[in-house]
Amino acid sequence: MQRIQDVRGLNRIASGGSLTIGNFDGLHLGHRELIRALKKGPTPHTVLTFSPHPVKILKPEVEYQPLFRRDDLAEQLDILNVDALALLPFTLELSRLEAEKFLTDFVANGVRPRRMVLGYDFGLGRGRSLGSEGIANWAEKHGIEVLHVPPLTDEAGPVSSRRVREYLIQGDVTMANKLLGRSYYTMGFIESGAGRGRGLSAPTINLSGYETLLPRIGVYATRTHFLNQTLDSVSNVGVNPTFETDGRVRLETHILDVNLGEFRPLDPIRVEYLGRIRDEQKFSSQQDLKNQIQRDILKAKEILKGQDEAMDRDQPNS
């Protein structure tokens, strides 16, 4: 898959194909339906998105944390065999463009697609002032076919990035993963910690360097990816209230049944959340905390085993 920064040069790569536009934060199951529809159209298949997320430019006072890194979107689209990903730098100047001028400059004169595949609620301009009807009228003038893909829904309504985010804020990683169609994760680098875990018979690795949303404070059954290994683990998102700390929320992970000696500061690491175990709490003694950690480890093993058994059941018989 080609990653393109110069959108005005896209016509050399994507001309005559199919185009979809959006933020695609998370690339959840609803987004994947859109990609599936995109791939039924003429080739090449191109995804146009924005970097950074528009909210970072339009509302800089909001502490916005994306669900995933932009590199994750590229990795997932590559797996889905999309031909090109165009990353359009989002600026204040771009935000002030009239919606029809944006479409003319960047779509009709840039990508030059034969077909546009858009989400059911897609809109452009301030407050999404140009909706489906306006886009259809513009496209007709430029000889571009437009397909609006209906929402993918469950019992709670349309699958959306907003719902994934809400589940993570509630700590419900199981439901977030269900809407994503994969496990939510945090990608970062190992940093040196205070070393308290070793005294609790549960040494931990600490992650830093991530800018994505952490799930609600608490303890989770996780799997940790390091180099070519996938390791069972239990992770704590929180402030360690049993000890005197600076109050900063941290992600600490204890790898189950593996010696941590091979982990080095600044090594990249990915922690996937498979299930929530409990809220973080303050203990009256280190021994009480130590006992609870052992119970957490047993619970994490139970959750991870259940995940593996469910995956085995879902595998088609050979």
Side-chain angles (χ1 to χ4, degrees), residues 67-137:
L67 295 175
F68 291 97
R69 304 161 297 125
R70 268 298 181 241
D71 282 349
D72 178 88
L73 177 61
E75 291 165 6
Q76 294 298 313
L77 292 177
D78 199 26
I79 291 170
L80 295 172
N81 295 315
V82 170
D83 297 310
L85 170 62
L87 288 165
L88 181 59
F90 193 87
T91 63
L92 279 175
E93 181 183 11
L94 182 67
S95 74
R96 292 172 181 143
L97 273 184
E98 293 293 330
E100 289 196 2
K101 181 168 177 53
F102 171 87
L103 288 171
T104 300
D105 287 356
F106 292 98
V107 176
N109 298 332
V111 183
R112 298 182 184 176
R114 286 170 52 197
R115 190 186 206 201
M116 290 175 66
V117 179
L118 304 174
Y120 71 99
D121 59 347
F122 182 82
L124 280 172
R126 186 169 299 177
R128 297 188 176 187
S129 56
L130 190 69
S132 57
E133 184 177 350
I135 292 171
N137 291 336

Side-chain angles (χ1 to χ4, degrees), residues 194-204 234 236 240-243 252 254 278 281 283-297:
R196 286 186 291 262
R198 293 190 182 277
L200 298 167
S201 302
T204 61
V234 58
N236 184 75
N240 286 316
T242 303
F243 301 94
E252 298 178 276
H254 169 63
R278 62 174 175 86
Q281 62 189 100
F283 294 89
S284 57
S285 70
Q286 290 194 34
Q287 185 60 49
D288 287 346
L289 173 56
K290 186 176 180 179
N291 293 340
Q292 181 60 56
I293 288 173
Q294 295 308 308
R295 291 192 289 271
D296 294 340
I297 289 172

Side-chain angles (χ1 to χ4, degrees), residues 36 50 138 158 269:
R36 191 171 290 112
F50 306 96
W138 173 88
I269 198 163

Side-chain angles (χ1 to χ4, degrees), residues 153-298:
T153 61
D154 61 14
E155 62 278 1
V159 174
S160 67
S161 298
R162 176 188 58 79
R163 286 183 59 201
V164 173
R165 184 176 296 275
E166 287 174 353
Y167 283 129
L168 292 171
I169 291 171
Q170 295 164 12
D172 192 346
V173 295
T174 301
M175 279 303 301
N177 292 348
K178 181 179 177 182
L179 298 192
L180 288 168
R182 57 186 172 131
S183 298
Y184 188 69
Y185 68 83
T186 300
M187 183 84 182
F189 299 92
I190 296 174
E191 68 172 359
S192 299
R196 286 186 291 262
R198 293 190 182 277
L200 298 167
S201 302
T204 61
I205 50 177
N206 303 280
L207 264 71
S208 65
Y210 50 84
E211 298 179 354
T212 52
L213 180 69
L214 286 176
R216 179 183 170 186
I217 285 176
V219 181
Y220 295 87
T222 55
R223 280 209 165 97
T224 297
H225 298 260
F226 172 73
L227 298 179
N228 294 321
Q229 303 176 82
T230 300
L231 306 170
D232 290 352
S233 52
V234 58
S235 301
N236 184 75
V237 177
V239 298
N240 286 316
T242 303
F243 301 94
E244 291 293 331
T245 67
D246 59 9
R248 182 165 68 93
V249 176
R250 290 178 169 85
L251 171 57
E252 298 178 276
T253 296
H254 169 63
I255 307 297
L256 305 183
D257 307 321
V258 172
N259 190 320
L260 282 179
E262 61 191 299
F263 291 86
R264 302 182 304 274
L266 300 183
D267 276 337
I269 198 163
R270 189 176 83 194
V271 176
E272 290 185 352
Y273 305 91
L274 279 303
R276 184 176 175 87
I277 296 173
R278 62 174 175 86
D279 291 339
E280 186 180 51
Q281 62 189 100
K282 183 174 182 177
F283 294 89
S284 57
S285 70
Q286 290 194 34
Q287 185 60 49
D288 287 346
L289 173 56
K290 186 176 180 179
N291 293 340
Q292 181 60 56
I293 288 173
Q294 295 308 308
R295 291 192 289 271
D296 294 340
I297 289 172
L298 292 175

Side-chain angles (χ1 to χ4, degrees), residues 5-12 105-106 109-110:
Q5 299 285 350
D6 180 11
V7 180
R8 293 182 186 275
L10 261 174
N11 57 76
R12 297 192 300 270
D105 287 356
F106 292 98
N109 298 332

